Amino acid sequence: MGKDVIVACDFSSKEACLAFLDKFSGEKPFVKIGMELFYAEGPSIVREIKARGHKIFLDLKLHDIPNTVKKSMAVLSKLDVDMCNLHAAGTRAMMEAALEGLTRPDGTRPLLIAVTQLTSTSEERMKDELLINEPIDRVVMHYAENAAKAGLDGVVCSPLEAAKVHETCGASFLTVTPGVRFADGDIGDQVRVMTPAQAKEIGSDYIVVGRPITAAEDPVAAYQRCVREFVG
Ligand code: C5P
């Protein structure tokens, strides 16, 4: 799979999401559907967007006992999504079970990406509340290695971590990076950001871009600019 821009469709209803996608006539962006939209609309929203010809990253971050995750992944696989994810904190047994569940009878499966430590978790809280006493960047890299050993395809990480992840887990281990902003754009609530061009330079495989596209005056132009800067 080549480099691509994934548009985070963080909408609360099907109507809002489809009205946004209707603006695109020529291209069919790779779309990320998160918990908000999925819990509001259910699996039918995935089928509907898929039927319109979009690739789909279903961002539901599964984390449960291996058997439950395996069975849930089998359901997501039948939905024909292209990428889905889970928490690496569920351990390698859970990640391996997830892969088994995802794999279709013909051997194909969606890409499976791990979340390491959420960027909303600070090192202080990780130490105080989760009793993990290692520096957070070491924890992130260790979780990425666990995901690679379990056979997963990559991790969600900050663009700032992408190069290190590739160094640690191999060049073909995918880095899916949010926190992308245009050089002349609003940062919003993101803290450590990179432009699409910088994300390309440091080797991100996929960038996940939400508001710089969804809230733009001309979302199609913003998407095209992102693709131009990131894919070239
Ligand atoms: O609007 P914005 O470009 O900030 O959207 C980024 C998307 O990536 C959102 O869907 C957000 O939930 C997701 N995300 C993130 N940071 C992470 C993991 C996911 O921003 N560490």
Side-chain angles (χ1 to χ4, degrees):
M1 274 222 195
K3 283 182 183 288
D4 211 346
V5 173
I6 301 178
V7 183
C9 285
D10 294 323
F11 298 103
S12 56
S13 73
K14 167 180 159 174
E15 291 71 28
C17 183
L18 295 184
F20 167 74
L21 293 176
D22 279 342
K23 297 182 201 290
F24 294 83
S25 48
E27 56 272 279
K28 297 281 182 191
F30 200 137
V31 159
K32 178 169 90 72
I33 298 177
M35 290 186 218
E36 185 186 11
L37 188 58
F38 188 78
Y39 292 153
E41 301 292 349
S44 66
I45 187 69
V46 175
R47 293 192 190 97
E48 185 151 355
I49 295 176
K50 190 77 197 173
R52 287 168 165 239
H54 296 270
K55 284 188 177 168
I56 294 179
F57 171 19
L58 192 54
D59 179 15
L60 298 181
K61 302 186 179 72
L62 276 66
H63 188 175
D64 208 317
I65 60 171
N67 185 56
T68 302
V69 170
K70 177 178 169 178
K71 290 184 169 170
S72 307
M73 286 294 183
V75 174
L76 301 187
S77 189
K78 282 196 197 116
L79 265 183
D80 201 20
V81 296
D82 298 278
M83 184 186 285
C84 51
N85 62 359
L86 47 63
H87 276 282
T91 75
R92 273 164 66 182
M94 189 200 81
M95 291 191 267
E96 286 162 4
L99 275 178
E100 269 180 50
L102 264 191
T103 306
R104 303 178 184 113
D106 66 359
T108 63
R109 63 167 176 80
L111 292 171
L112 185 57
I113 304 296
V115 174
T116 57
Q117 281 292 341
L118 292 169
T119 45
S120 51
T121 305
S122 66
E123 188 163 299
E124 193 187 3
R125 287 196 169 153
M126 201 183 65
K127 283 191 199 316
D128 291 351
E129 297 178 30
L130 307 182
L131 295 183
I132 299 173
N133 280 305
E134 299 284 335
I136 196 158
D137 48 349
R138 196 170 131 60
V139 175
V140 165
M141 234 34 82
H142 185 63
Y143 283 23
E145 276 184 287
N146 280 343
K149 283 179 190 157
L152 269 69
D153 302 293
V155 285
V156 181
C157 64
S158 147
L160 298 152
E161 293 160 350
K164 185 81 192 292
V165 168
H166 281 141
E167 232 172 74
T168 309
C169 302
S172 61
F173 193 65
L174 301 173
T175 51
V176 179
T177 64
V180 174
R181 291 294 181 265
F182 291 122
D184 52 1
D186 232 4
I187 287 185
D189 56 358
Q190 295 282 10
V191 181
R192 300 181 308 154
V193 298
M194 266 194 191
T195 66
Q198 287 167 332
K200 175 185 183 179
E201 213 174 291
I202 54 93
S204 290
D205 296 288
Y206 294 89
I207 51 173
V208 177
V209 189
R211 289 159 293 178
I213 294 173
T214 55
E217 224 166 88
D218 184 344
V220 177
Y223 171 74
Q224 288 168 340
R225 178 179 174 192
C226 240
V227 171
R228 247 188 345 265
E229 285 191 24
F230 182 66
V231 184

mmCIF file of all heavy atoms in Angstrom, residues 8-29:
data_model
loop_
_atom_site.group_PDB
_atom_site.id
_atom_site.type_symbol
_atom_site.label_atom_id
_atom_site.label_comp_id
_atom_site.label_asym_id
_atom_site.label_seq_id
_atom_site.Cartn_x
_atom_site.Cartn_y
_atom_site.Cartn_z
ATOM 1 N N ALA A 8 -10.238 12.163 8.638
ATOM 2 C CA ALA A 8 -10.968 11.796 9.858
ATOM 3 C C ALA A 8 -12.365 12.395 9.792
ATOM 4 O O ALA A 8 -12.548 13.612 9.928
ATOM 5 C CB ALA A 8 -10.220 12.323 11.089
ATOM 6 N N CYS A 9 -13.357 11.535 9.563
ATOM 7 C CA CYS A 9 -14.740 12.007 9.456
ATOM 8 C C CYS A 9 -15.377 11.998 10.839
ATOM 9 O O CYS A 9 -16.173 11.112 11.164
ATOM 10 C CB CYS A 9 -15.515 11.123 8.474
ATOM 11 S SG CYS A 9 -15.074 11.471 6.770
ATOM 12 N N ASP A 10 -14.979 12.962 11.651
ATOM 13 C CA ASP A 10 -15.498 13.040 13.022
ATOM 14 C C ASP A 10 -16.819 13.792 13.027
ATOM 15 O O ASP A 10 -16.918 14.928 13.517
ATOM 16 C CB ASP A 10 -14.449 13.714 13.927
ATOM 17 C CG ASP A 10 -13.197 12.861 14.062
ATOM 18 O OD1 ASP A 10 -13.328 11.624 14.123
ATOM 19 O OD2 ASP A 10 -12.086 13.418 14.081
ATOM 20 N N PHE A 11 -17.835 13.167 12.480
ATOM 21 C CA PHE A 11 -19.179 13.747 12.452
ATOM 22 C C PHE A 11 -20.063 12.923 13.371
ATOM 23 O O PHE A 11 -19.808 11.742 13.607
ATOM 24 C CB PHE A 11 -19.746 13.710 11.024
ATOM 25 C CG PHE A 11 -18.950 14.514 10.034
ATOM 26 C CD1 PHE A 11 -18.087 13.887 9.141
ATOM 27 C CD2 PHE A 11 -19.042 15.903 10.006
ATOM 28 C CE1 PHE A 11 -17.344 14.621 8.234
ATOM 29 C CE2 PHE A 11 -18.299 16.640 9.095
ATOM 30 C CZ PHE A 11 -17.456 15.994 8.203
ATOM 31 N N SER A 12 -21.152 13.560 13.859
ATOM 32 C CA SER A 12 -22.026 12.837 14.801
ATOM 33 C C SER A 12 -23.221 12.197 14.113
ATOM 34 O O SER A 12 -24.002 11.508 14.750
ATOM 35 C CB SER A 12 -22.503 13.782 15.908
ATOM 36 O OG SER A 12 -23.142 14.882 15.322
ATOM 37 N N SER A 13 -23.394 12.433 12.827
ATOM 38 C CA SER A 13 -24.529 11.811 12.137
ATOM 39 C C SER A 13 -24.151 11.448 10.712
ATOM 40 O O SER A 13 -23.224 12.015 10.123
ATOM 41 C CB SER A 13 -25.729 12.759 12.105
ATOM 42 O OG SER A 13 -25.487 13.801 11.182
ATOM 43 N N LYS A 14 -24.918 10.507 10.191
ATOM 44 C CA LYS A 14 -24.740 10.068 8.814
ATOM 45 C C LYS A 14 -24.962 11.236 7.846
ATOM 46 O O LYS A 14 -24.199 11.409 6.885
ATOM 47 C CB LYS A 14 -25.775 8.961 8.574
ATOM 48 C CG LYS A 14 -26.002 8.545 7.165
ATOM 49 C CD LYS A 14 -27.048 7.442 7.143
ATOM 50 C CE LYS A 14 -27.677 7.346 5.764
ATOM 51 N NZ LYS A 14 -28.589 6.213 5.642
ATOM 52 N N GLU A 15 -25.977 12.041 8.131
ATOM 53 C CA GLU A 15 -26.305 13.148 7.226
ATOM 54 C C GLU A 15 -25.111 14.092 7.094
ATOM 55 O O GLU A 15 -24.754 14.511 5.993
ATOM 56 C CB GLU A 15 -27.538 13.935 7.729
ATOM 57 C CG GLU A 15 -28.861 13.187 7.644
ATOM 58 C CD GLU A 15 -28.984 12.037 8.669
ATOM 59 O OE1 GLU A 15 -28.347 12.113 9.751
ATOM 60 O OE2 GLU A 15 -29.673 11.042 8.352
ATOM 61 N N ALA A 16 -24.525 14.451 8.243
ATOM 62 C CA ALA A 16 -23.397 15.390 8.215
ATOM 63 C C ALA A 16 -22.221 14.771 7.465
ATOM 64 O O ALA A 16 -21.542 15.444 6.663
ATOM 65 C CB ALA A 16 -22.996 15.768 9.636
ATOM 66 N N CYS A 17 -21.993 13.504 7.697
ATOM 67 C CA CYS A 17 -20.843 12.833 7.058
ATOM 68 C C CYS A 17 -21.057 12.732 5.546
ATOM 69 O O CYS A 17 -20.153 13.049 4.765
ATOM 70 C CB CYS A 17 -20.650 11.461 7.682
ATOM 71 S SG CYS A 17 -19.210 10.622 7.016
ATOM 72 N N LEU A 18 -22.250 12.304 5.141
ATOM 73 C CA LEU A 18 -22.490 12.141 3.696
ATOM 74 C C LEU A 18 -22.520 13.498 2.983
ATOM 75 O O LEU A 18 -22.070 13.609 1.833
ATOM 76 C CB LEU A 18 -23.782 11.353 3.452
ATOM 77 C CG LEU A 18 -23.754 9.896 3.948
ATOM 78 C CD1 LEU A 18 -25.039 9.174 3.571
ATOM 79 C CD2 LEU A 18 -22.542 9.122 3.451
ATOM 80 N N ALA A 19 -23.030 14.525 3.665
ATOM 81 C CA ALA A 19 -23.028 15.866 3.057
ATOM 82 C C ALA A 19 -21.592 16.304 2.798
ATOM 83 O O ALA A 19 -21.280 16.921 1.770
ATOM 84 C CB ALA A 19 -23.738 16.862 3.974
ATOM 85 N N PHE A 20 -20.694 15.945 3.722
ATOM 86 C CA PHE A 20 -19.275 16.262 3.542
ATOM 87 C C PHE A 20 -18.702 15.470 2.362
ATOM 88 O O PHE A 20 -18.061 16.039 1.475
ATOM 89 C CB PHE A 20 -18.513 15.961 4.835
ATOM 90 C CG PHE A 20 -17.017 15.946 4.682
ATOM 91 C CD1 PHE A 20 -16.312 17.134 4.530
ATOM 92 C CD2 PHE A 20 -16.317 14.747 4.660
ATOM 93 C CE1 PHE A 20 -14.924 17.126 4.358
ATOM 94 C CE2 PHE A 20 -14.946 14.726 4.499
ATOM 95 C CZ PHE A 20 -14.243 15.914 4.342
ATOM 96 N N LEU A 21 -18.978 14.176 2.330
ATOM 97 C CA LEU A 21 -18.406 13.346 1.256
ATOM 98 C C LEU A 21 -18.991 13.698 -0.116
ATOM 99 O O LEU A 21 -18.325 13.527 -1.139
ATOM 100 C CB LEU A 21 -18.605 11.854 1.566
ATOM 101 C CG LEU A 21 -17.820 11.331 2.777
ATOM 102 C CD1 LEU A 21 -18.163 9.872 3.044
ATOM 103 C CD2 LEU A 21 -16.311 11.497 2.578
ATOM 104 N N ASP A 22 -20.235 14.219 -0.122
ATOM 105 C CA ASP A 22 -20.873 14.618 -1.384
ATOM 106 C C ASP A 22 -20.097 15.740 -2.089
ATOM 107 O O ASP A 22 -20.253 15.952 -3.291
ATOM 108 C CB ASP A 22 -22.313 15.102 -1.134
ATOM 109 C CG ASP A 22 -23.274 13.923 -1.000
ATOM 110 O OD1 ASP A 22 -22.910 12.804 -1.424
ATOM 111 O OD2 ASP A 22 -24.377 14.127 -0.450
ATOM 112 N N LYS A 23 -19.301 16.488 -1.313
ATOM 113 C CA LYS A 23 -18.537 17.589 -1.925
ATOM 114 C C LYS A 23 -17.463 17.071 -2.874
ATOM 115 O O LYS A 23 -16.977 17.793 -3.733
ATOM 116 C CB LYS A 23 -17.874 18.445 -0.834
ATOM 117 C CG LYS A 23 -18.858 19.150 0.088
ATOM 118 C CD LYS A 23 -18.078 20.015 1.086
ATOM 119 C CE LYS A 23 -18.856 20.361 2.330
ATOM 120 N NZ LYS A 23 -19.960 21.275 2.189
ATOM 121 N N PHE A 24 -17.082 15.789 -2.665
ATOM 122 C CA PHE A 24 -16.026 15.218 -3.514
ATOM 123 C C PHE A 24 -16.669 14.567 -4.731
ATOM 124 O O PHE A 24 -17.483 13.660 -4.592
ATOM 125 C CB PHE A 24 -15.220 14.170 -2.732
ATOM 126 C CG PHE A 24 -14.425 14.762 -1.596
ATOM 127 C CD1 PHE A 24 -15.020 15.006 -0.363
ATOM 128 C CD2 PHE A 24 -13.085 15.087 -1.773
ATOM 129 C CE1 PHE A 24 -14.292 15.568 0.674
ATOM 130 C CE2 PHE A 24 -12.348 15.646 -0.735
ATOM 131 C CZ PHE A 24 -12.952 15.882 0.497
ATOM 132 N N SER A 25 -16.330 15.053 -5.900
ATOM 133 C CA SER A 25 -16.916 14.425 -7.088
ATOM 134 C C SER A 25 -15.865 13.580 -7.809
ATOM 135 O O SER A 25 -16.132 12.456 -8.215
ATOM 136 C CB SER A 25 -17.506 15.479 -8.018
ATOM 137 O OG SER A 25 -16.570 16.513 -8.213
ATOM 138 N N GLY A 26 -14.656 14.101 -7.916
ATOM 139 C CA GLY A 26 -13.623 13.368 -8.638
ATOM 140 C C GLY A 26 -12.998 12.259 -7.825
ATOM 141 O O GLY A 26 -13.140 11.084 -8.137
ATOM 142 N N GLU A 27 -12.357 12.621 -6.695
ATOM 143 C CA GLU A 27 -11.608 11.620 -5.934
ATOM 144 C C GLU A 27 -12.459 11.004 -4.822
ATOM 145 O O GLU A 27 -13.488 11.527 -4.431
ATOM 146 C CB GLU A 27 -10.317 12.217 -5.377
ATOM 147 C CG GLU A 27 -10.489 13.441 -4.515
ATOM 148 C CD GLU A 27 -10.481 14.733 -5.325
ATOM 149 O OE1 GLU A 27 -9.409 15.228 -5.681
ATOM 150 O OE2 GLU A 27 -11.595 15.246 -5.590
ATOM 151 N N LYS A 28 -11.966 9.865 -4.326
ATOM 152 C CA LYS A 28 -12.643 9.143 -3.237
ATOM 153 C C LYS A 28 -11.646 9.012 -2.097
ATOM 154 O O LYS A 28 -10.865 8.052 -2.054
ATOM 155 C CB LYS A 28 -13.045 7.736 -3.693
ATOM 156 C CG LYS A 28 -14.040 7.709 -4.821
ATOM 157 C CD LYS A 28 -15.444 7.966 -4.314
ATOM 158 C CE LYS A 28 -16.464 7.891 -5.437
ATOM 159 N NZ LYS A 28 -17.776 8.399 -4.980
ATOM 160 N N PRO A 29 -11.632 9.986 -1.172
ATOM 161 C CA PRO A 29 -10.632 9.921 -0.102
ATOM 162 C C PRO A 29 -10.777 8.676 0.772
ATOM 163 O O PRO A 29 -11.877 8.146 0.929
ATOM 164 C CB PRO A 29 -10.948 11.162 0.746
ATOM 165 C CG PRO A 29 -11.802 12.029 -0.080
ATOM 166 C CD PRO A 29 -12.501 11.161 -1.071
#
